[in-house]
Amino acid sequence: MQSFDYRKVYTLQEALDVALASKGASAFLAGGTDLLVQIKEGKKQPRYVIDVKGVNELAGVTLAGGELFIGALTTIRTLETSLSVSAKVPLLAQAAAKLGSVQVRYRATLGGNLCNASPSADTASALLALDAQAEIYGKTGTRVIELDNFFLGPGTTALGDGELLTRLKIRLTSNRQGSVYYKLSTRKAMDLAFVGVAVLIELGGDDQISKTRIALGAVAPAPIRVPSAEKLLEGVRLSPEAARESAELAARSCEPISDHRASAAYRREMVRELCQQGLLAAYRQAKSQKEDKNE
Ligand SMILES: Cc1cc2nc3c(=O)[nH]c(=O)nc-3n(C[C@H](O)[C@H](O)[C@H](O)COP(=O)(O)OP(=O)(O)OC[C@H]3O[C@@H](n4cnc5c(N)ncnc54)[C@H](O)[C@@H]3O)c2cc1C
């Protein structure tokens, strides 16, 4: 393992200053479940490792003004077990419970999962389906972007020089919602998805769909949404045929590759199948919801 200088920081500004001073030769350390493996394998060779685990501004799950804020240092285990997360955004709790093993989830953080920018990151598809926004701290202060614009490709994000992901913001609704996250991997645990599908459906009056979100992992260079497949269902009372049509569009929109985990053709077929199942399941769930769950 290549050696590096270790520096522990306690504030956002300190983290930023140290990162900028390193002129691109540093990496932030959160849980280390991606970073340390990558350093050991020689895939990353930072001269400085900046430990941000002591930065309080990155911690905590809070509910304010109809929005849920989740700090970047929040562990995947907390997402899985937090009552406010499972009550307000069960889709994220569901995705978190499917990441790695319980030991990994105690260590791994939400910020690390997103900033590592693996196309198969489990929390990414769930957060895309939830229309999450990413809060970023850098030289010019804080900026907020749609999470949809955060992932640029495998291992690449919209984070600029020295910037940190500080927290995720999710606007809550009192409308009836249903959501599911399906993950296919070659092993049941401790394996990355070769297909991840997150579906969210929101209902208006008369059980008509007012919003659909479909987000896919591991079938494109980055986690993606499929707006064409989502739009098709606006104003619709979902039937198996409509779900099939939307799922077909999702399958045609993705760009899977073949690798040791699965072939491109199989991945596409699974996107079609899981999207159809997911849409029907989320619709059923939304229909069974009582109104005003967030009030
Ligand atoms: C055995 C094993 C199984 C795994 N299984 C899965 C799985 O099933 N699904 C899955 O999605 N992942 C899986 N992973 C990957 C990993 O656990 C997750 O991606 C995890 O959430 C990373 O979080 P971390 O805190 O450990 O990140 P770290 O390793 O500390 O950091 C990851 C990257 O993000 C950067 N970073 C961290 N925090 C910030 C921040 N706030 N701002 C800017 N940059 C930041 C780091 O510099 C680094 O480049 C697995 C890993 C292992 C070792």
Side-chain angles (χ1 to χ4, degrees):
M1 184 169 176
Q2 187 201 278
S3 63
F4 51 79
D5 282 348
Y6 170 88
R7 173 86 186 263
K8 179 137 187 165
V9 294
Y10 295 91
T11 65
L12 271 183
Q13 192 56 46
E14 199 187 353
L16 175 67
D17 290 344
V18 176
L20 288 175
S22 79
K23 300 199 184 324
S26 61
F28 295 120
L29 174 77
T33 61
D34 278 318
L35 183 66
L36 293 180
V37 177
Q38 289 159 356
I39 295 177
K40 277 187 184 160
E41 290 175 349
K43 290 181 183 157
K44 281 196 179 162
Q45 300 177 326
R47 290 224 312 276
Y48 309 94
V49 167
I50 308 168
D51 185 343
V52 295
K53 286 196 297 293
V55 177
N56 284 336
E57 295 128 295
L58 297 174
V61 177
T62 49
L63 198 56
E67 292 181 317
L68 186 68
F69 297 88
I70 307 176
L73 277 181
T74 306
T75 64
I76 304 297
R77 180 67 178 163
T78 299
L79 296 179
E80 181 188 4
T81 55
S82 148
L83 289 182
S84 43
V85 174
S86 48
K88 301 296 181 192
V89 285
L91 180 59
L92 182 57
Q94 221 187 101
K98 295 204 161 103
L99 188 152
S101 62
V102 73
Q103 292 91 336
V104 172
R105 296 198 287 276
Y106 266 110
R107 186 93 209 146
T109 65
L110 177 63
N113 196 224
L114 300 175
C115 295
N116 186 56
S118 160
S120 61
D122 286 307
T123 64
S125 340
L127 285 166
L128 284 178
L130 288 162
D131 288 334
Q133 293 183 311
E135 199 180 272
I136 294 168
Y137 185 75
K139 274 185 267 193
T140 53
T142 298
R143 65 189 177 104
V144 177
I145 63 169
E146 298 299 323
L147 190 64
D148 211 4
N149 299 324
F150 184 77
F151 305 108
L152 304 183
T156 318
T157 67
L159 289 174
D161 192 17
E163 283 189 326
L164 293 111
L165 176 66
T166 51
R167 56 183 188 170
L168 280 300
K169 187 164 90 168
I170 303 167
R171 173 153 286 287
L172 302 171
T173 172
S174 57
N175 295 338
R176 288 178 298 157
Q177 281 192 341
S179 56
V180 291
Y181 178 69
Y182 294 143
K183 169 178 181 172
L184 290 181
S185 50
T186 40
R187 290 179 307 184
K188 275 198 176 146
M190 301 287 273
D191 200 4
L192 296 176
F194 64 75
V195 174
V197 171
V199 175
L200 180 143
I201 281 186
E202 197 170 294
L203 296 185
D206 206 18
D207 290 344
Q208 287 183 350
I209 295 178
S210 54
K211 180 165 111 176
T212 306
R213 290 290 178 264
I214 302 173
L216 307 175
V219 289
I224 52 164
R225 270 192 39 211
V226 271
S228 57
E230 296 170 355
K231 263 206 186 88
L232 196 74
L233 300 177
E234 259 170 41
V236 160
R237 299 180 73 192
L238 195 67
S239 64
E241 294 71 34
R244 183 80 191 164
E245 215 182 316
S246 169
E248 183 64 45
L249 260 181
R252 272 193 260 133
S253 310
C254 62
E255 312 160 38
I257 54 159
S258 295
D259 65 11
H260 64 285
R261 286 196 167 86
S263 69
Y266 185 61
R267 283 180 149 111
R268 201 183 288 281
E269 189 51 40
M270 288 304 99
V271 167
R272 185 180 293 115
E273 191 55 41
L274 295 183
C275 280
Q276 186 184 15
Q277 282 182 31
L279 285 164
L280 291 168
Y283 186 68
R284 269 196 307 274
Q285 224 185 79
K287 279 212 307 183
S288 68
Q289 291 281 310
K290 289 203 176 78
E291 307 268 357
D292 302 330
K293 82 180 164 95
N294 290 306
E295 293 189 342

